[in-house]
Amino acid sequence: MQMWNRLKARKRIYPSGAFCITLKGTRPCMKNDLQTFIRFLSDERGLARNTLDSYERDLLQYIEYLDAAGIRNLKESGKVHIAGYLLKLKQMGRATATVTRSMVSIRAFYQYLVRERRLDQDPSMHMEIPKLEKRSPKVLTVEEVETLLQAPPSATPNGQRDKAMLEPLYATGIRVTELIMLDVDSVNPEMGFIRCIGKGGRERVVPLGGIASECLKEYITSTRPKLMKHSAEEAALFINHLGTRITRQGFWKIIKRYAADSGIRQEITPHTLRHSFATHLLENGADLRSVQEMLGHADISTTQIYTQVTRSKLKEVYDRAHPRAKA
């Protein structure tokens, strides 16, 4: 475990917004390779900050592992080191999803270095990526959603803000990161739509329901000015007690608190309302392509996972209602 505790990094920001990593004690050439890769992902691929963070964390840990093994540069690394690192993750109890994501990050890193002719060959080539078990997303019932949306107290500015966040989240199915990154000029409650920036910098326009539109209208005109404090220039739509943009972690605490207050027993994640949005639309006859567009999925196969939930519910309804469903 000591090698993992030795990982210490300082960061500065590139003009593009990507991170430049400085590792204490790590071989300079591996550090430089990582810096240029993160810059490439930001400048050329246009990946979102959260995705850059994910690549950064995975590869910092892998490089620290190589450094502890005495590897001076990535040319000296091979399949045995990659396999050893993945085994180490498993021994530490990391989830299969974490191991898979790490392998994907490592493979992308090596492919980049080969393409840039910094390496002659890719040691990750032909190595098998651990397969993820496809699980049906956890969703709330319509009744549970209604209870959750009614939980914020309407008499306080914070409660009014929280209501104005929860309603559009369920009404549009946008990601939590997309929600907290909304600016005031990103929403048009009068026309009933929001404009958000999704993965890969892709912009999409999503319709708002009537209730969500009214909540946002009230929040923007009455509640938000009370929360602004001295941040008159703040562009963020949803702000915290300091008058600055609310964070993902801050919103997660908010939604978990209201879930507990509502008596919802299943674990709530920031994606729960997004999953519920998609599932409820499909259950009520929405076509898969429209749901795909609203969710911002690049591939429809990602959206199809929600059909598993609706099929299982249909089976439950059939077994309960049909007189000859049971032998």
Side-chain angles (χ1 to χ4, degrees), residues 136-142 144-145 170 264 266-269 271-280 283 305-306 309-310 312-313:
S136 297
K138 294 181 179 180
V139 301
L140 301 176
T141 65
V142 174
E144 286 174 329
V145 171
Y170 176 64
I264 297 173
Q266 70 162 293
E267 183 180 357
I268 296 288
T269 72
H271 251 35
T272 301
L273 284 178
R274 176 172 165 87
H275 294 325
S276 303
F277 160 84
T279 302
H280 295 166
E283 285 176 352
I305 191 172
Y306 296 107
V309 181
T310 56
S312 64
K313 185 168 183 179

Side-chain angles (χ1 to χ4, degrees), residues 158-179:
N158 282 348
Q160 294 162 5
R161 177 206 60 201
D162 298 344
K163 171 82 168 174
M165 294 183 76
L166 290 172
E167 286 284 359
L169 193 63
Y170 176 64
T172 63
I174 62 176
R175 302 173 180 90
V176 171
T177 302
E178 295 168 348
L179 178 79

Side-chain angles (χ1 to χ4, degrees), residues 54-308:
S54 179
Y55 275 105
E56 176 198 341
R57 285 191 300 269
D58 292 340
L59 294 172
L60 283 175
Q61 290 184 349
Y62 176 59
I63 287 176
E64 179 70 6
Y65 174 85
L66 294 178
D67 187 51
I71 301 299
R72 293 187 300 274
N73 60 63
L74 288 163
K75 290 182 180 179
E76 299 176 5
S77 64
K79 284 183 168 62
V80 63
H81 300 104
I82 301 173
Y85 174 69
L86 297 180
L87 177 61
K88 183 71 176 180
L89 291 178
K90 292 178 182 178
Q91 291 173 341
M92 293 174 65
R94 297 292 190 264
T96 302
T98 301
V99 178
T100 299
R101 191 196 66 223
S102 296
M103 181 61 190
V104 170
S105 297
I106 291 168
R107 176 169 288 180
F109 188 29
Y110 278 119
Q111 287 175 344
Y112 165 77
L113 294 174
V114 170
R115 191 164 55 247
E116 295 295 311
R117 298 183 180 179
R118 297 182 188 179
L119 290 181
D120 295 329
Q121 57 184 5
D122 174 8
S124 70
M125 187 177 294
H126 305 309
M127 290 188 70
E128 193 171 320
I129 296 178
K131 291 184 179 179
L132 282 174
E133 178 185 351
K134 286 191 175 181
R135 298 179 181 177
S136 297
K138 294 181 179 180
V139 301
L140 301 176
T141 65
V142 174
E143 292 74 22
E144 286 174 329
V145 171
E146 290 290 344
T147 303
L148 180 65
L149 297 182
Q150 295 301 321
S154 58
T156 67
N158 282 348
Q160 294 162 5
R161 177 206 60 201
D162 298 344
K163 171 82 168 174
M165 294 183 76
L166 290 172
E167 286 284 359
L169 193 63
Y170 176 64
T172 63
I174 62 176
R175 302 173 180 90
V176 171
T177 302
E178 295 168 348
L179 178 79
I180 63 175
M181 291 307 294
L182 289 174
D183 291 333
V184 176
D185 60 4
S186 301
V187 300
N188 190 328
E190 298 290 345
M191 298 293 293
F193 70 83
I194 64 171
R195 175 173 45 83
C196 66
I197 307 297
K199 291 185 176 181
R202 293 187 294 270
E203 181 182 282
R204 70 184 190 281
V205 175
V206 187
L208 273 171
I211 296 176
S213 294
E214 288 301 317
C215 282
L216 277 175
K217 194 184 306 181
E218 178 67 20
Y219 167 74
I220 293 171
T221 57
S222 302
T223 307
R224 188 174 177 275
K226 299 174 185 176
L227 298 172
M228 282 295 290
K229 307 282 184 185
H230 303 294
S231 305
E233 301 300 321
E234 178 60 64
L237 176 60
F238 298 112
I239 53 181
N240 57 26
H241 66 284
L242 299 175
T244 59
R245 189 182 301 274
I246 199 165
T247 64
R248 180 185 175 91
Q249 291 76 16
F251 179 71
W252 195 348
K253 291 177 182 177
I254 289 170
I255 196 171
K256 287 175 77 70
R257 184 176 74 246
Y258 288 133
D261 293 344
S262 302
I264 297 173
R265 298 191 176 185
Q266 70 162 293
E267 183 180 357
I268 296 288
T269 72
H271 251 35
T272 301
L273 284 178
R274 176 172 165 87
H275 294 325
S276 303
F277 160 84
T279 302
H280 295 166
L281 278 179
L282 290 170
E283 285 176 352
N284 286 283
D287 67 278
L288 199 61
R289 288 287 181 187
S290 296
V291 176
Q292 175 195 4
E293 185 173 344
M294 284 185 278
L295 291 174
H297 287 160
D299 193 326
I300 198 169
S301 63
T302 309
T303 317
Q304 285 174 331
I305 191 172
Y306 296 107
T307 63
Q308 298 176 14

